[in-house]
């Protein structure tokens, strides 16, 4: 099985390691190239993850799965082409979702207040004695929960503006999820 991960950030690295752990041959592609990324590349290549920096990803038919990091737009030409080719193209959150089928999620989305709401829900659950983990735009990348087999009774995700609609739309089986939508309006004049 071959997977390509787009974006060498926290989420891309966690997704790459999780895929490697589950038997995928992984290529991580990033359009940037600097000394910090070169250092990360060296570390990841020790794990047998192929890293392409300064790369303008173009899908090929031998790719089984593409993981898109949160900061990468879904409408770029290469991802549109990948979907047209029938390549399974998902975000890092959905990858985590596929492997974390035994843990309830609290998903937070909206235009403003997502991070604050996620942190508040996490704090409320912890005060109630639940072992929760905040992840997404705050805390860990979601794939880290599975990668390191962190034990928790639920975790709270700041899904960004559009993450929840993609995630909920992809569910192949019923799951335990609570969705919080915050501030669906523009603030200011």
């Amino acid at each position: 099985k071959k997977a390509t991960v787009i974006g060498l950030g926290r989420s891309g690295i966690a997704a790459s390691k999780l895929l490697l752990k589950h038997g995928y041959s992984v290529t991580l592609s990033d359009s940037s190239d600097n000394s910090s990324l070169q250092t990360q590349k060296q570390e990841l290549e020790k794990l047998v993850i192929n890293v392409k920096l300064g790369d303008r990803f173009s899908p090929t038919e031998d790719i089984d799965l593409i993981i898109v990091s949160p900061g990468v737009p879904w409408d770029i030409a290469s991802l549109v082409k990948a979907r047209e080719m029938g390549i399974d193209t998902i975000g890092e959150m959905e990858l985590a979702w596929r492997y974390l089928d035994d843990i309830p999620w609290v998903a937070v989305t909206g235009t403003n207040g997502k991070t604050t709401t996620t942190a508040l829900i996490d704090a409320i659950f912890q005060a109630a004695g639940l072992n929760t983990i905040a992840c997404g735009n705050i805390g860990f990348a979601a794939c880290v929960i599975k990668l390191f087999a962190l034990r928790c009774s639920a975790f709270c995700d700041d899904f960004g503006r559009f993450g929840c609609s993609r995630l909920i739309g992809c569910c192949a089986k019923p799951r335990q999820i609570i969705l919080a939508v915050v501030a669906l309006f523009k603030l200011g004049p």
Side-chain angles (χ1 to χ4, degrees):
K1 301 180 284 189
K2 284 184 72 174
T4 297
V5 178
I6 311 297
L8 180 60
R10 190 172 52 122
S11 294
I13 291 170
S16 295
K17 290 179 178 179
L18 182 60
L19 288 165
L20 186 67
K21 183 177 179 177
H22 286 275
Y24 281 85
S25 170
V26 180
T27 298
L28 203 158
S29 170
D30 199 293
S31 60
S32 297
D33 188 358
N34 58 48
S35 60
S36 174
L37 293 177
Q38 287 290 338
T39 301
Q40 289 177 320
K41 174 182 177 172
Q42 291 172 357
E43 293 301 312
L44 291 167
E45 287 181 338
K46 290 176 187 174
L47 302 174
V48 195
I49 294 173
N50 179 30
V51 179
K52 295 180 178 181
L53 297 177
D55 186 46
R56 299 290 177 223
F57 169 73
S58 182
T60 56
E61 291 187 16
D62 62 335
I63 299 172
D64 299 299
L65 178 63
I66 297 171
I67 307 300
V68 183
S69 294
V72 177
W74 280 77
D75 59 353
I76 60 174
S78 58
L79 295 179
V80 171
K81 181 179 178 186
R83 290 189 295 275
E84 288 171 353
M85 293 170 64
I87 300 171
D88 193 11
T89 304
I90 63 174
E92 183 261 347
M93 286 289 186
E94 183 177 342
L95 179 65
W97 179 266
R98 289 180 179 186
Y99 286 102
L100 291 168
D101 58 358
D102 58 337
I103 300 172
W105 286 36
V106 175
V108 179
T109 192
T111 52
N112 294 0
K114 297 176 297 296
T115 302
T116 302
T117 303
T118 299
L120 179 61
I121 292 169
D122 185 49
I124 290 168
F125 281 2
Q126 288 191 25
L130 295 172
N131 181 22
T132 58
I133 298 174
C135 59
N137 291 340
I138 64 172
F140 294 104
C143 285
V144 168
I145 309 300
K146 182 65 176 184
L147 188 62
F148 295 108
L150 300 176
R151 304 309 301 154
C152 61
S153 49
F155 62 99
C156 306
D157 267 296
D158 175 346
F159 272 75
R161 259 186 213 188
F162 306 108
C164 285
S165 61
R166 279 194 220 102
L167 184 66
I168 292 168
C170 76
C171 299
K173 58 183 175 179
R175 296 285 303 275
Q176 297 173 334
I177 186 168
I178 298 169
L179 174 61
V181 180
V182 294
L184 287 177
F185 55 88
K186 182 178 178 182
L187 296 177

